[in-house]
């Protein structure tokens, strides 16, 4: 049986080598190597590398083979490439000029991240806007990847155009990552009994502490007001208690999100309406990120709440502060069909461009949702 097994392994390797050596006329070993990586064929990848394939190869757009391997989702192929003298921190020549380690966040590829780190990948290298791999993990909400990066020396205080990793996690509503980064940062003071009671949703304790003089405007370690925390977590009665203590309904967290913005994102319609009844600003947002409640509805696909916000005179064409995207652009890029319909009905402007020059047709292609594409193409023809 062992001889048969080894013979089968030999045949497999032999045919893989033939596949690389006997490529179609005009196709080089490098072309074959690129095809094999994209197809996820490790046997052919191994054969091509053994027969002179360049592990530092790039495709026509300047993307390194290493990044293509990470995004192919086949750790075995990445492992094969890393056996050779390869530049582990090679960057894309376009886009954000990201490294392979950064791009492990796209598909939450933990195994690839471990391999790259074991080969010395730069954990604190920055992309073209100053983001590190930890910023990428925070953006995509990859908690375990964030843990791995921090264990390997990722900097918590490195700031980019988008802020520190904690700012990015909060901005993208990735609260599990944000909570981890707060706990990891030794420079942040402990929040205290009142904040912990709010976080836990302990209504009786909150009521008792408020009666004893607790500050209804108190902030947690990261600068989030307790009202914002309660609204995010759906604690209606605690939000009501805080509002009865005359806390400002428009208090913001460190990235300029109000309690209303966060209640909308997480689908807490009752809390959103309670906040509005106490004067919360429908279009209120901080000056840098400028994430309004309607942007939040577009991002999370809360179409019913989105319709309510529009009826309350939300600015349907407001541009978010980092990307310049409008609610319609955000709903399109996240594939939120019902929200797209709500915004079309409200006559949202389909011709605004993001700060990077991206227009709605670009986002339609990115989303890859034919039903949304049909809706928007028909709408744009009418404008």
């Amino acid at each position: 049986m062992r001889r048969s097994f080894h013979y089968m392994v030999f045949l497999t390797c032999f045919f893989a080598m033939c596949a690389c050596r006997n490529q179609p006329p005009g196709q080089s070993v490098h072309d074959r190597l690129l095809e094999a990586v994209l197809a996820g064929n490790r046997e052919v990848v191994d054969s091509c590398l053994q027969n002179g394939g360049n592990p530092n190869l790039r495709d026509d757009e300047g993307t390194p083979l290493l990044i293509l391997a990470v995004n192919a989702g086949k750790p075995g192929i990445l492992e094969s490439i890393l056996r050779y003298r390869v530049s582990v921190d090679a960057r894309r020549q376009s886009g954000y000029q990201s490294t392979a380690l950064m791009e492990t966040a796209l598909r939450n590829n933990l195994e690839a991240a471990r391999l790259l780190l074991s080969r010395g990948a730069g954990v604190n290298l920055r992309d073209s806007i100053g983001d590190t791999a930890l910023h990428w993990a925070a953006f995509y909400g990859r908690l375990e990847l964030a843990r791995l990066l921090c264990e390997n020396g990722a900097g918590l205080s490195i700031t980019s155009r988008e802020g520190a990793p904690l700012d990015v996690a909060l901005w993208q509503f990735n609260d599990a990552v944000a909570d981890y980064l707060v706990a990891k940062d030794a420079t942040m003071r402990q929040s205290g009994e009142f904040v912990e009671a709010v976080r836990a949703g302990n209504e009786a304790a909150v009521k008792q502490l408020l009666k004893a003089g607790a500050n209804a405007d108190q902030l947690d370690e990261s600068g989030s007001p307790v009202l914002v925390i309660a609204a995010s977590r759906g604690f209606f009665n605690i939000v009501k208690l805080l509002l009865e203590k005359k806390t400002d309904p428009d208090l913001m967290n460190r990235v300029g999100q109000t309690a209303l913005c966060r209640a909308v994102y997480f689908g807490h319609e009752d809390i959103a309406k309670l906040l509005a009844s106490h004067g919360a600003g429908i279009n209120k947002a901080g000056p840098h990120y400028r994430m309004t409640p309607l942007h939040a509805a577009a991002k999370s696909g809360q179409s019913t709440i989105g319709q309510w916000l529009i009826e309350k005179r939300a600015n349907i064409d407001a541009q978010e502060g980092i990307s310049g995207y409008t609610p319609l652009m955000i709903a399109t890029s996240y594939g939120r069909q019902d929200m797209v319909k709500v915004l079309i009905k409200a006559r949202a402007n389909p011709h605004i461009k993001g700060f990077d020059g991206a227009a709605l047709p670009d986002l339609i292609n990115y989303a890859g949702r034919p039903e949304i594409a049909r809706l928007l193409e028909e709408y744009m023809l009418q404008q």
Side-chain angles (χ1 to χ4, degrees):
M1 288 296 293
R2 286 188 180 183
R3 284 188 180 183
S4 298
F5 172 76
H6 288 301
Y7 181 64
M8 289 301 295
V9 170
F10 166 76
L11 285 179
T12 300
C13 293
F14 174 76
F15 287 123
M17 288 174 67
C18 289
C20 202
R21 285 177 175 169
N22 301 321
Q23 59 265 12
Q27 187 179 42
S28 69
V29 66
H30 302 309
D31 291 337
R32 184 68 175 160
L33 177 57
L34 273 174
E35 281 187 7
V37 168
L38 294 172
N41 191 331
R42 185 177 184 180
E43 293 166 4
V44 176
V45 168
D46 285 337
S47 173
C48 290
L49 289 169
Q50 290 163 13
N51 286 279
N54 180 7
N56 291 299
L57 192 65
R58 292 175 179 266
D59 68 9
D60 292 341
E61 295 179 352
T63 305
L65 199 65
L66 207 60
I67 291 179
L68 296 175
V70 165
N71 290 325
K74 303 282 186 180
I77 291 178
L78 180 64
E79 190 174 14
S80 291
I81 296 169
L82 287 170
R83 289 174 183 165
Y84 293 81
R85 190 170 293 178
V86 62
S87 176
V88 74
D89 290 322
R91 299 173 178 271
R92 284 185 183 269
Q93 290 179 348
S94 59
Y96 292 103
Q97 295 161 31
S98 46
T99 65
L101 182 60
M102 294 169 189
E103 295 205 18
T104 60
L106 295 175
R107 291 175 177 80
N108 201 22
N109 197 333
L110 280 172
E111 191 172 349
R114 289 190 185 98
L115 278 170
L116 290 163
L117 288 165
S118 72
R119 301 302 197 280
V123 72
N124 288 318
L125 293 178
R126 297 167 178 254
D127 65 15
S128 60
I129 63 169
D131 283 347
T132 66
L134 186 56
H135 285 85
W136 282 64
F139 184 92
Y140 288 102
R142 311 305 193 190
L143 177 58
E144 293 308 314
L145 179 58
R147 290 183 195 276
L148 177 65
L149 293 168
C150 287
E151 288 165 4
N152 283 272
L156 298 174
S157 60
I158 297 173
T159 57
S160 70
R161 191 180 77 187
E162 297 174 341
L166 174 58
D167 298 318
V168 173
L170 288 169
W171 168 45
Q172 293 299 311
F173 301 93
N174 293 323
D175 287 5
V177 176
D179 289 346
Y180 169 74
L181 294 174
V182 168
K184 189 74 178 172
D185 192 340
T187 67
M188 290 190 175
R189 59 180 175 78
Q190 293 300 305
S191 55
E193 185 181 10
F194 182 53
V195 171
E196 291 306 320
V198 172
R199 279 181 178 155
N202 189 335
E203 184 184 341
V206 169
K207 188 181 292 186
Q208 183 179 358
L209 289 164
L210 283 170
K211 190 175 181 180
N215 181 5
D217 293 339
Q218 190 171 333
L219 310 179
D220 74 358
E221 311 96 314
S222 70
S224 288
V226 286
L227 181 68
V228 172
I229 296 169
S232 299
R233 300 188 180 204
F235 299 147
F236 180 90
N237 288 338
I238 292 178
V239 170
K240 188 177 179 183
L241 283 171
L242 294 168
L243 290 170
E244 287 170 354
K245 285 291 183 178
K246 306 301 181 186
T247 189
D248 181 353
D250 285 330
L251 289 174
M252 300 177 185
N253 64 12
R254 62 188 277 160
V255 294
Q257 294 166 344
T258 63
L260 177 58
C261 179
R262 296 204 123 236
V264 166
Y265 179 85
F266 290 110
H268 305 312
E269 185 175 356
D270 54 347
I271 292 177
K273 290 181 175 178
L274 175 65
L275 288 161
S277 72
H278 281 76
I282 294 296
N283 292 306
K284 196 75 173 179
H288 183 58
Y289 295 89
R290 298 206 304 273
M291 173 72 72
T292 69
L294 190 57
H295 286 118
K299 183 176 171 66
S300 60
Q302 302 290 345
S303 56
T304 301
I305 305 179
Q307 179 63 52
W308 170 75
L309 288 168
I310 291 169
E311 290 167 2
K312 288 283 187 179
R313 299 186 179 278
N315 183 350
I316 59 172
D317 293 323
Q319 289 184 276
E320 190 261 358
I322 300 295
S323 65
Y325 288 2
T326 64
L328 181 58
M329 296 171 79
I330 290 174
T332 299
S333 62
Y334 281 91
R336 309 301 190 190
Q337 184 174 348
D338 288 344
M339 194 65 209
V340 168
K341 288 179 179 178
V342 166
L343 290 161
I344 286 175
K345 184 179 178 182
R347 314 305 293 173
N349 186 344
H351 302 297
I352 297 172
K353 292 186 177 182
F355 299 148
D356 59 358
L360 198 55
D362 302 313
L363 300 176
I364 292 170
N365 293 333
Y366 170 80
R369 294 284 298 274
E371 63 278 16
I372 292 179
R374 284 192 294 271
L375 279 171
L376 289 169
E377 285 164 5
E378 183 179 330
Y379 177 56
M380 291 177 77
L381 285 173
Q382 297 170 2
Q383 300 303 298

